[in-house]
Amino acid sequence: MKRNIIYLLLALLLAVSPAFLNAYWVDVLNNVGMYALLALSLNLILGHAGLFHMGHAAFYAVGAYTTAILNTSFDIPVLWTMPLAGLIAGLFALMVARPIIHLRGDYLLIVTIGFVEIVRIALINNVFGITGGANGIFGIDRPYLFGFKIRKPHEFFYLIWGFMAVTVFLFHRLENSRFGRALNFLREDDVAAEGSGINTTYYKLIAFVIGAVWAGMVGTIYAAKMTIIAPESFNFWESVVMFMIVILGGAGSIRGVILGAFLVIGLPEIFRGMGTISDLINSLFSSFGVTLSLDFSNFSKARMLIFGAAMVIMMIFRNAGLLPPLPRKYPLKKIREEMRIREEVRIREEMKIGEEMP
Amino acid sequence: MELFFQQLTNGLAVGGIYALIALGYTMVYGVLKLINFAHGDLFTIGAYLGLTLLSTLGLTDHLGPFGVVIALAVMVMGLVAVVGIILERIAYRPLRESHRLSAVVSALGASIFFQNAVMLIYGARYRVYPHDILPRVVIPIFGLNVPLLRILILLTSIVMMAALYFFIQKTRTGTAIRAVAIDQGAAKLMGINVNAVIMIVFLIGPALGGAAGLMVGLYYGQINFTMGWIYGLKAFTAAILGGIGNIPGAMLGGLLLGVIEAMGAAYISIAWKDAIAFVVLILILIVRPTGLLGERVAEKV
Amino acid sequence: MSLLKLEKLVKDFGGLRAVDEVSFAVEAGDIFGLIGPNGAGKTTVFNLITGNYVPNKGKVIFDGQVLNGLAPNKIVTLGVARTFQTIRLFKALSALENVLAGCHCRMKSGSIAAMLKTPFQKREEKEAIQLALAELDFVGLGDDADTRSDSLSYGNQRLLEIARALATQPKLLILDEPAGGMNEQETDALIEIIARIKARGITVLLIEHDMSLVMQACEKLVVIEYGRKIAEGLPEEIKVNKKVIEAYLGTDDEEEGEACF
């Protein structure tokens, strides 16, 4: 209960934050939101099903390109393309995942890396003549929502974080269901899962498909936000960043993944802005005759170095991530009570029958 | 026909480099059942260390061209081996008893760390090797002009591979490595110091990878901090192609992949050159995950 | 018609023939024991029935249907549930959720129903939890529903596997060394549970090393050695069967056999 109040307060704080922030910082929050969405969709595959998938940027790319092509060539409004972007990304996932789904953890990892590279190379080579080659596609329209044109970071903020709210709501339900449990079973032990009657191949594929559908839809938002997309936006490093967010934040945990996105995407920005603060500290110390050469803004350059090291350290000391998933809660007391009442009714009725027919 | 033979020799030279890197993957996989994702970055470190040593030590003033290269190779291999041993000690040893995939994540983290460390030290731009170290001579073979460097690279990698093969097959230490690869527990019971064996593997693999890095610097003349990923992935493909955990397999896979790639670039499309290796990788994992020389192993239920 | 029938089942691993033309039939309602020395191929036979391995030759017929080549999860749906020799629970999950894994194959709601939380999905979920609790109660783990499965005692982990298997609502339950690692009291409790499983109308096929359990619980036995069937019959017949005694005591120092008889 207490935890829910904290989440609610944090959500409220986030919702009103654009009122106090300039465009730069709102855009940082938008980026955090985009990566959090991507990481949440990856989390189904990597966190819940435990499939080492490092090609998520490929699905993201398929979605973004679907929107870009439909919008620029066929003038379909951007947000209308969103379901289709998701669908095509999902179909693409089904197609590429089917033959490799049985591969063991680290092999799957390397194959998915291969896929994301092949997709990028295909986009550069202007495959089917519709992807615009290395320059990509430009001139994508801004989205309209209820007749309102979304253009400024402040406006995108509500589109992105609104979609986030929907995503968290739906994914939370998904986690706490037969489907979510099935993914966990096959992550824990897929031989035992099969032996308990779970079609592990099917669930692995569905995890891929749902993850890809979401990544594809985030691709639509990305295309709309940037109005220009190019293959380099979907390179292997994008996949690495998503992977990192899930692993560092907490695989299988929605709150962990969102925290992870704030850390991996937001933190370096905060330090970038702190160059003046470190200068201030330096000058403060130098006035006391102590020479310091702190430069907090360096952190953003070294962010991947630091997060790389953090992955190693995390695996050694806290391999479930910063905020690991909490055990699912079941209303056992209530269900027990119902079972007891039903049992009593049954016994009473049996006794009644016994009385009637001695 | 000329194009074919030029691509063949080129493919073999590049394949030799792939094979040297692939050996590192395959040896570590053999003893730890871990894909050492940071291996490609050790290769990068080798290339950059070669450049640093070349520009700071002034070797060219004292030694002839071949002396320079040999001295460089020895130093680079030694230094990269040290990095490899430190890597194992810090990032992998604490995870030996934990879930296999934890170690994979750790390896990825180490890879990202190394790559960015190189970027922060040397900068993100391409760095150029001095191109006058080895004489730029072409040697006529069967009427074809083959650059000397190409031949040297192929020969060197073959000599190194042969030496490694001999070491693994014929020496006591090599036998210990093979024993640990088959069954770590049993090897321990037989009195083999498993930690020492793993350390030796992390000495040899990175040393060979470092040598490959130096070769790429000398052959192509320019290096970049991200090259470890692409070479690493290709070398890994080579290791899988030959059968991971299998040393002759890595050699075969490397040479084969180099040739396939060179031919693909020449006869299919140069633009898709980098995709060829990945297609090979995906096909081999789907069709025959144990590789060309690997044995089928049934998973125990 | 027998519930389960093996016809000349053969399984090779490379050059090794692990199972060599094994045939036997399990009648509905039996408690059937499969015994034999270590490495005789018992677990391999189980894995052939449950679809984890595919036989090289021969047939597995369950309830009139040939199981050869079916995926393990399909075979579970048809009514064959199993436990594992080396306990394979979903370690990080609670006892209840482990049993819910067994309920899974009798449920229908998919991912979209879960996102929409349809009335059907809600009802089904509640019924599954009730069923899982009932199975936990059945094996005596009702109070441990919330406990992480890997913090249960070894014996209780074995019982949890049985509860998970029962939750699939099987016709045939296959137990691979259910008493492995159990003490005497736990084994006695297990024998009682097996009897109650039979009382529910479920046929039981088990591998066991604990001969006291085999002799008490099983109504019929098959003995295999080196992948071949060497004897079949009632427990008291098997006890005095010359071939069986040889197989267990042998000419070498098979301690286990001595301890058993």
Side-chain angles (χ1 to χ4, degrees):
Chain A
M1 213 49 232
K2 219 180 193 174
R3 193 176 276 131
N4 285 342
I5 292 170
I6 294 172
Y7 292 156
L8 197 71
L9 286 176
L10 285 175
L12 275 175
L13 184 69
L14 192 68
V16 298
S17 62
F20 307 100
L21 297 172
N22 62 22
Y24 178 82
W25 284 104
V26 173
D27 199 50
V28 169
L29 284 179
N30 288 349
N31 281 333
V32 170
M34 297 281 288
Y35 278 98
L37 281 166
L38 289 168
L40 281 176
S41 67
L42 174 64
N43 183 42
L44 278 182
I45 307 168
L46 171 63
H48 280 289
L51 298 167
F52 270 43
H53 165 47
M54 220 193 237
H56 213 52
F59 305 146
Y60 180 37
V62 170
Y65 270 88
T66 304
T67 291
I69 293 165
L70 288 177
N71 178 257
T72 56
S73 306
F74 302 98
D75 280 329
I76 301 174
V78 166
L79 285 184
W80 288 37
T81 66
M82 201 165 174
L84 210 59
L87 196 71
I88 291 182
L91 281 175
F92 178 72
L94 192 63
M95 220 170 61
V96 297
R98 186 66 197 86
I100 58 169
I101 204 78
H102 62 279
L103 292 175
R104 267 206 336 254
D106 34 9
Y107 280 16
L108 187 72
L109 182 74
I110 213 109
V111 170
T112 52
I113 293 173
F115 267 121
V116 82
E117 279 298 297
I118 291 175
V119 167
R120 193 180 60 88
I121 294 168
L123 292 174
I124 290 174
N125 285 319
N126 201 2
V127 69
F128 310 130
I130 52 174
T131 66
N135 297 325
I137 299 175
F138 48 88
I140 302 158
D141 287 337
R142 293 297 191 180
Y144 282 85
L145 199 61
F146 308 119
F148 182 78
K149 189 173 187 179
I150 299 172
R151 190 173 31 205
K152 290 197 217 97
H154 282 74
E155 294 154 4
F156 268 103
F157 177 87
Y158 290 101
L159 177 69
I160 292 168
W161 287 92
F163 188 52
M164 173 76 80
V166 175
T167 304
V168 169
F169 177 75
L170 292 178
F171 280 19
H172 178 74
R173 285 183 160 187
L174 206 53
E175 277 182 4
N176 291 291
S177 72
R178 170 175 180 259
F179 176 82
R181 280 195 304 265
L183 297 188
N184 291 172
F185 296 145
L186 67 91
R187 176 192 67 200
E188 292 289 309
D189 184 336
D190 66 349
V191 173
E194 283 233 306
S196 308
I198 291 156
N199 186 345
T200 51
T201 310
Y202 171 81
Y203 278 96
K204 285 178 187 174
L205 278 178
I206 296 296
F208 260 98
V209 169
I210 297 181
V213 166
W214 242 263
M217 293 198 289
V218 182
T220 297
I221 299 180
Y222 180 78
K225 184 167 170 277
M226 305 309 287
T227 70
I228 167 167
I229 58 168
E232 280 318 304
S233 316
F234 309 99
N235 65 19
F236 165 71
W237 283 103
E238 293 299 303
S239 299
V240 173
V241 169
M242 296 175 212
F243 192 94
M244 222 178 221
I245 290 171
V246 174
I247 295 286
L248 292 181
S253 146
I254 290 178
R255 58 200 184 110
V257 170
I258 294 175
L259 174 71
F262 270 99
L263 287 183
V264 174
I265 307 299
L267 203 59
E269 294 295 337
I270 291 174
F271 275 90
R272 199 200 299 268
M274 284 219 223
T276 47
I277 295 175
S278 52
D279 289 347
L280 207 70
I281 296 172
N282 290 341
S283 59
L284 206 69
F285 272 85
S286 67
S287 64
F288 292 104
V290 185
T291 325
L292 279 182
S293 49
L294 291 176
D295 186 1
F296 289 162
S297 63
N298 263 340
F299 180 77
S300 60
K301 272 183 232 147
R303 70 178 186 127
M304 288 304 258
L305 179 92
I306 291 163
F307 291 130
M311 274 167 83
V312 176
I313 294 164
M314 193 73 103
M315 282 304 111
I316 296 169
F317 296 107
R318 194 182 166 87
N319 70 4
L322 288 173
L323 284 179
L326 298 168
R328 289 188 186 81
K329 281 203 195 89
Y330 295 92
L332 288 186
K333 265 201 187 128
K334 210 176 114 207
I335 289 178
R336 278 263 184 226
E337 186 61 23
E338 281 177 30
M339 284 167 78
R340 199 179 57 78
I341 291 168
R342 215 171 42 184
E343 186 66 12
E344 268 176 14
V345 170
R346 196 180 60 83
I347 290 169
R348 213 170 297 146
E349 264 167 20
E350 263 176 21
M351 278 165 65
K352 227 187 265 167
I353 294 165
E355 277 165 18
E356 280 164 11
M357 297 187 293
Chain B
M1 221 46 200
E2 159 127 25
L3 177 70
F4 178 83
F5 282 107
Q6 285 297 351
Q7 286 306 92
L8 183 67
T9 53
N10 185 28
L12 285 173
V14 177
I17 294 172
Y18 290 161
L20 280 184
I21 311 171
L23 286 170
Y25 280 111
T26 239
M27 287 180 74
V28 169
Y29 194 90
V31 295
L32 286 186
K33 303 287 171 280
L34 164 75
I35 298 177
N36 177 13
F37 279 95
H39 187 63
D41 301 288
L42 296 175
F43 153 88
T44 311
I45 291 173
Y48 275 92
L49 281 177
L51 182 64
T52 302
L53 293 174
L54 206 53
S55 50
T56 53
L57 291 186
L59 291 170
T60 36
D61 304 340
H62 307 289
L63 299 163
F66 293 101
V68 171
V69 172
I70 289 168
L72 260 186
V74 169
M75 284 189 281
V76 166
M77 288 172 78
L79 287 170
V80 178
V82 172
V83 179
I85 288 169
I86 294 171
L87 167 72
E88 191 272 332
R89 193 70 194 77
I90 292 177
Y92 302 152
R93 192 174 297 184
L95 293 167
R96 219 177 281 161
E97 302 304 321
S98 50
H99 198 276
R100 249 180 72 199
L101 295 180
S102 298
V104 173
V105 173
S106 183
L108 276 169
S111 164
I112 294 166
F113 176 84
F114 280 140
Q115 188 168 330
N116 285 279
V118 170
M119 185 198 73
L120 289 172
I121 295 168
Y122 290 95
R125 291 211 259 160
Y126 276 91
R127 296 292 296 264
V128 181
Y129 257 64
H131 55 265
D132 51 356
I133 300 167
L134 283 173
R136 298 261 145 184
V137 203
V138 289
I139 294 179
I141 299 175
F142 303 124
L144 280 168
N145 289 328
V146 183
L148 171 71
L149 204 52
R150 221 179 256 182
I151 296 168
L152 280 179
I153 283 178
L154 184 59
L155 283 181
T156 317
S157 48
I158 287 175
V159 167
M160 282 182 176
M161 288 187 273
L164 178 67
Y165 188 72
F166 177 81
F167 173 75
I168 297 287
Q169 292 297 327
K170 303 286 178 197
T171 63
R172 256 176 75 91
T173 319
T175 313
I177 293 174
R178 280 184 289 143
V180 172
I182 293 166
D183 188 334
Q184 226 180 82
K188 205 176 268 172
L189 291 176
M190 292 296 120
I192 293 173
N193 183 346
V194 172
N195 277 336
V197 165
I198 290 171
M199 218 170 94
I200 290 167
V201 165
F202 271 94
L203 188 146
I204 298 172
L208 294 176
L214 182 63
M215 284 183 186
V216 165
L218 291 172
Y219 188 49
Y220 289 107
Q222 55 175 6
I223 55 177
N224 181 270
F225 74 102
T226 57
M227 69 180 192
W229 259 110
I230 203 85
Y231 273 90
L233 278 169
K234 287 180 180 174
F236 180 77
T237 305
I240 294 271
L241 184 62
I244 192 135
N246 183 319
I247 288 173
M251 304 177 195
L252 176 72
L255 294 174
L256 206 57
L257 186 71
V259 173
I260 293 174
E261 223 181 46
M263 294 301 167
Y267 294 103
I268 301 173
S269 158
I270 184 98
W272 289 84
K273 178 174 166 273
D274 281 340
I276 291 169
F278 298 121
V279 173
V280 170
L281 170 71
I282 291 166
L283 285 182
I284 195 89
L285 280 177
I286 293 171
V287 179
R288 195 182 156 86
T290 51
L292 297 174
L293 301 185
E295 279 172 38
R296 242 187 97 82
V297 196
E299 202 159 330
K300 190 157 169 71
V301 179
Chain C
M1 193 183 66
S2 316
L3 182 68
L4 175 76
K5 209 165 152 196
L6 308 191
E7 285 178 4
K8 297 202 169 173
L9 221 49
V10 173
K11 179 67 188 173
D12 295 324
F13 290 117
L16 178 82
R17 180 149 290 195
V19 175
D20 191 1
E21 304 213 331
V22 168
S23 308
F24 60 84
V26 180
E27 303 301 324
D30 272 355
I31 297 180
F32 196 102
L34 180 64
I35 63 172
N38 274 331
K42 303 179 298 280
T43 298
T44 310
V45 170
F46 273 19
N47 283 328
L48 289 170
I49 300 170
T50 56
N52 292 92
Y53 296 153
V54 179
N56 296 83
K57 271 189 221 150
K59 266 190 207 161
V60 181
I61 302 164
F62 174 75
D63 216 7
Q65 186 172 359
V66 179
L67 299 186
N68 293 28
L70 292 183
N73 63 290
K74 182 81 179 93
I75 292 174
V76 176
T77 333
L78 291 174
V80 181
R82 74 171 298 177
T83 66
F84 293 89
Q85 183 179 358
T86 50
I87 298 174
R88 297 192 89 140
L89 288 166
F90 308 114
K91 290 199 184 92
L93 303 177
S94 68
L96 178 79
E97 289 188 306
N98 269 276
V99 183
L100 282 172
C103 299
H104 180 96
C105 65
R106 306 292 171 206
M107 295 165 77
K108 290 191 180 68
S109 307
S111 50
I112 292 171
M115 288 198 219
L116 301 178
K117 226 173 191 174
T118 58
F120 173 79
Q121 190 262 353
K122 270 163 88 176
R123 181 155 34 90
E124 191 186 56
E125 181 78 9
K126 200 169 86 181
E127 283 167 5
I129 295 170
Q130 289 177 352
L131 184 90
L133 283 174
E135 293 300 355
L136 281 172
D137 290 342
F138 182 82
V139 298
L141 292 175
D143 295 334
D144 289 311
D146 271 334
T147 313
R148 240 180 89 119
S149 63
D150 58 356
S151 55
L152 291 172
S153 76
Y154 204 72
N156 283 346
Q157 290 190 22
R158 291 232 178 258
L159 295 181
L160 181 57
E161 272 213 335
I162 294 177
R164 181 176 71 187
L166 285 171
T168 66
Q169 303 172 16
K171 293 179 193 143
L172 172 69
L173 177 64
I174 297 183
L175 304 173
D176 198 345
E177 294 195 27
M182 281 189 176
N183 63 29
E184 221 166 289
Q185 286 93 330
E186 285 171 328
T187 308
D188 287 342
L190 176 70
I191 293 173
E192 186 260 337
I193 287 171
I194 293 174
R196 281 194 285 128
I197 293 172
K198 178 187 157 77
R200 281 168 64 172
I202 297 167
T203 311
V204 179
L205 169 60
L206 60 87
I207 291 177
E208 189 47 69
H209 276 300
D210 185 329
M211 280 302 151
S212 76
L213 183 142
V214 171
M215 292 302 161
Q216 274 183 67
C218 295
E219 296 154 344
K220 207 173 165 204
L221 293 175
V222 158
V223 190
I224 62 173
E225 190 196 13
Y226 297 122
R228 281 209 195 113
K229 183 167 91 173
I230 56 168
E232 182 170 7
L234 302 172
E236 42 273 30
E237 293 168 4
I238 296 296
K239 225 185 243 180
V240 293
N241 185 307
K242 241 180 158 180
K243 269 191 184 163
V244 177
I245 295 171
E246 248 170 46
Y248 269 85
L249 301 176
T251 43
D252 55 10
D253 50 352
E254 186 100 49
E255 292 161 47
E256 208 174 324
E258 289 170 42
C260 292
F261 285 94

